[in-house]
Amino acid sequence: MIWWHTIIGYGLVFLSIFHIFAHSINFYNFQEAWVLQDVPSKLSFSGLNPLQKPFSDSSAAFLLSWPGSTGTLIFLILLLMFSSSFGIIRRYQFGMFKRLHFLFIFFYALFTVHGLGGILHKQINVKQHNAKCTESSYFHSWGTAICDNPIFESIPSTSWLWVIFPIVLYGIELLLLLKRFSQKAEICDYKILPSKVLELSIKREGFRTKVGQYVSIFVPNISKFEWHPFTITSAPEEAPLLRLNIREAGDWTERLINCFAKGISELNLKVVVDGPFGSCLENIFLSEIAVCVGCGIGVTPYAGVLRSLHYRCTKKNPIILSKLYFIWCCRGVSPFEWFGDLLRETESLLLETDNSEKLQIRIFITSVESQKTIDKIIDNVESPKDVITGLTEKTSYGRCNWRKLFAEIGELHSERCINVFFCGPSPAAKEAKQSCVDLNKNGLNFVFRKEVF
């Protein structure tokens, strides 16, 4: 729904500019009506012209009027909200983006009273001043027994009709939010992992999730206004325990991680959890063949999938999923410092329970940070396990060839539907999706789903 919200935002700005331009022309004509000696001048004295006196400048008339002043404030608020919504600002100044969006309260308030200026009128004596009176030969007979002067009155504002429904919905959301505030969420454990990652374990009674879902958390000690979404990395089988892996990516996450890094007790931090919210990964275990692709930090949603697979195989419950391909592409080796343990544990467990055929892991590293790492890789080429990940599957170095990789998977499962779940940058997602589309033309059956992360 983010794309729909974006379209609405662009539409509001465009239509607001058009609306202001139209009103500017109207006020110019209202001003000119005071100096013209024809029908417009008569209309000026009949209640149609909202300007009660002539102005030397139509712009001043516009800004000093009730619709002009409130409309200008509405447009300025809209510009502030719109300009702070661009990706680069949200990424590095999320707090400012969030706070400016709270201006919607003033936007709605001004929008509701914007139409009270009475700039729109309707004629109330149509019988006494009908269409015949508008003929040129009758202009000078207005106000006589032949043709009464036209009488106009303001059209009542109906702006409130447009805002009452969303205001009611927002009020319901506030009530639900207050209810969620009352639900106790307890921080029961935390770990500071390499690569500036915080693993936060939260316990909330009655909390139930599905794989791949996410929650929003609010920490009043860090910010009084900000809610931040994070993917759930624990398995549904671990409920009511909720595990989040939070990487430093902005001022809010930096302050949160620093609180724990400095040894501040978790008991001093109150956390409010909102959710869980849906994800395309929820029904992954209903797929026969699934391909999970993560790029960089986009691997996070699959942590819950791997942990859930771990639990399902341990309990030896029958599952529909017969093969899971886990593909991770990243720029360097540092991400493995915090995610590698989970991969190794899952691989080891599947080997112990004779379920190794259910999971195949493919790692692609596009760059290596140091010569020391390169030498280490070369010296351990013949090692039974990969020197970087510790997995039995060796790491590939270089960019992933999506078409080639998916073609190999497709040949092994040509008669089945292959569900591809992708979480990562849009350019890579487009390339992977196009590869699926091309392979489907050759008779394969790939279904591509992109996780918004």
Side-chain angles (χ1 to χ4, degrees):
M1 294 301 290
I2 294 178
W3 64 270
W4 177 247
H5 183 75
T6 303
I7 291 174
I8 293 297
Y10 276 102
L12 276 174
V13 173
F14 173 77
L15 293 175
S16 296
I17 293 173
F18 183 81
H19 184 76
I20 292 171
F21 177 73
H23 267 311
S24 299
I25 296 176
N26 285 337
F27 271 85
Y28 175 79
N29 291 330
F30 293 151
Q31 172 63 20
E32 290 296 304
W34 282 95
V35 297
L36 297 175
Q37 301 300 318
D38 52 10
V39 176
S41 64
K42 290 180 177 293
L43 295 179
S44 295
F45 298 99
S46 61
L48 180 62
N49 195 332
L51 300 183
Q52 300 302 310
K53 62 180 180 178
F55 283 82
S56 59
D57 185 7
S58 60
S59 299
F62 175 77
L63 293 174
L64 291 175
S65 67
W66 179 259
S69 57
T70 56
T72 301
L73 290 174
I74 291 173
F75 187 64
L76 288 175
I77 290 173
L78 183 61
L79 282 182
L80 286 173
M81 295 171 64
F82 177 77
S83 60
S84 66
S85 300
F86 290 100
I88 189 170
I89 295 178
R90 292 200 315 271
R91 185 180 301 274
Y92 297 105
Q93 293 293 333
F94 186 83
M96 182 180 69
F97 157 75
K98 193 76 173 181
R99 285 188 286 272
L100 287 177
H101 257 61
F102 276 108
L103 290 175
F104 82 92
I105 298 173
F106 300 99
F107 179 92
Y108 272 109
L110 290 169
F111 180 80
T112 304
V113 301
H114 179 57
L116 298 180
I119 195 172
L120 299 179
H121 294 73
K122 64 179 180 180
Q123 187 180 341
I124 60 176
N125 63 336
V126 178
K127 291 183 178 180
Q128 294 78 13
H129 184 93
N130 52 39
K132 187 177 181 181
C133 295
T134 62
E135 297 176 6
S136 59
S137 57
Y138 283 87
F139 285 170
H140 299 288
S141 63
W142 289 14
T144 66
I146 300 176
C147 287
D148 286 351
N149 279 325
I151 301 175
F152 298 88
E153 69 176 10
S154 298
I155 299 176
S157 173
T158 58
S159 299
W160 63 274
L161 292 174
W162 296 94
V163 300
I164 187 66
F165 182 66
I167 286 177
V168 169
L169 288 180
Y170 185 69
I172 295 173
E173 171 64 20
L174 286 180
L175 292 176
L176 294 175
L177 183 62
L178 290 175
K179 181 181 178 180
R180 291 191 290 270
F181 260 100
S182 63
Q183 295 176 337
K184 184 179 179 181
E186 177 186 355
I187 300 176
C188 53
D189 193 16
Y190 70 92
K191 296 178 183 177
I192 303 296
L193 303 177
S195 301
K196 298 181 179 180
V197 174
L198 167 68
E199 183 179 273
L200 193 61
S201 297
I202 302 172
K203 185 177 181 181
R204 198 180 88 175
E205 293 300 330
F207 197 79
R208 296 292 181 269
T209 66
K210 295 182 179 181
V211 292
Q213 290 184 325
Y214 71 96
V215 294
S216 288
I217 66 171
F218 169 66
V219 185
N221 306 68
I222 304 299
S223 174
K224 300 295 183 182
F225 301 100
E226 296 182 33
W227 289 80
H228 287 263
F230 296 100
T231 302
I232 300 170
T233 57
S234 54
E237 291 81 1
E238 297 179 79
L241 181 68
L242 172 70
R243 190 177 297 155
L244 306 174
N245 284 67
I246 302 172
R247 189 190 68 165
E248 183 179 315
D251 54 348
W252 189 90
T253 52
E254 181 183 1
R255 293 198 301 270
L256 179 66
I257 293 174
N258 286 340
C259 282
F260 289 97
K262 292 177 181 178
I264 297 178
S265 172
E266 61 270 24
L267 298 177
N268 294 329
L269 290 178
K270 179 183 178 182
V271 177
V272 180
V273 180
D274 186 14
F277 302 103
S279 163
C280 64
L281 282 168
E282 289 180 13
N283 298 317
I284 187 172
F285 286 102
L286 298 179
S287 306
E288 282 190 271
I289 309 298
V291 181
C292 294
V293 182
C295 294
I297 192 63
V299 74
T300 308
Y302 306 124
V305 176
L306 294 174
R307 285 194 171 105
S308 185
L309 180 64
H310 182 131
Y311 277 96
R312 290 168 191 255
C313 291
T314 301
K315 295 179 180 179
K316 297 183 179 180
N317 293 333
I319 58 176
I320 298 175
L321 183 67
S322 60
K323 187 72 173 184
L324 173 64
Y325 293 91
F326 176 78
I327 302 166
W328 189 10
C329 306
C330 50
R331 293 181 179 177
V333 299
S334 56
F336 295 100
E337 296 173 347
W338 65 271
F339 199 79
D341 288 342
L342 176 60
L343 292 177
R344 288 186 288 271
E345 289 173 10
T346 305
E347 184 185 60
S348 176
L349 174 79
L350 293 178
L351 286 171
E352 293 174 2
T353 56
D354 295 326
N355 286 292
S356 58
E357 76 285 349
K358 288 189 178 295
L359 176 66
Q360 182 175 340
I361 301 174
R362 294 291 303 275
I363 308 295
F364 292 86
I365 297 180
T366 58
S367 65
V368 179
E369 290 90 344
S370 66
Q371 184 62 42
K372 183 179 179 180
T373 304
I374 296 175
D375 295 337
K376 186 178 180 181
I377 294 170
I378 296 173
D379 294 339
N380 292 272
V381 171
E382 303 299 330
S383 175
K385 290 190 176 183
D386 187 79
V387 67
I388 299 297
T389 64
L391 302 171
T392 55
E393 183 74 32
K394 292 300 184 71
T395 299
S396 301
Y397 297 93
R399 293 186 61 187
C400 176
N401 187 327
W402 301 114
R403 185 180 178 87
K404 180 181 178 181
L405 179 62
F406 291 161
E408 292 174 358
I409 296 173
E411 288 178 4
L412 296 174
H413 312 283
S414 57
E415 302 299 324
R416 298 184 181 183
C417 176
I418 304 171
N419 289 285
V420 178
F421 301 91
F422 192 101
C423 185
S426 294
K430 290 179 180 178
E431 186 179 345
K433 182 178 181 180
Q434 188 59 48
S435 297
C436 292
V437 171
D438 293 340
L439 290 170
N440 285 345
K441 295 177 182 178
N442 297 331
L444 297 177
N445 188 8
F446 282 93
V447 178
F448 186 88
R449 296 179 175 89
K450 184 179 185 299
E451 176 75 14
V452 178
F453 184 74

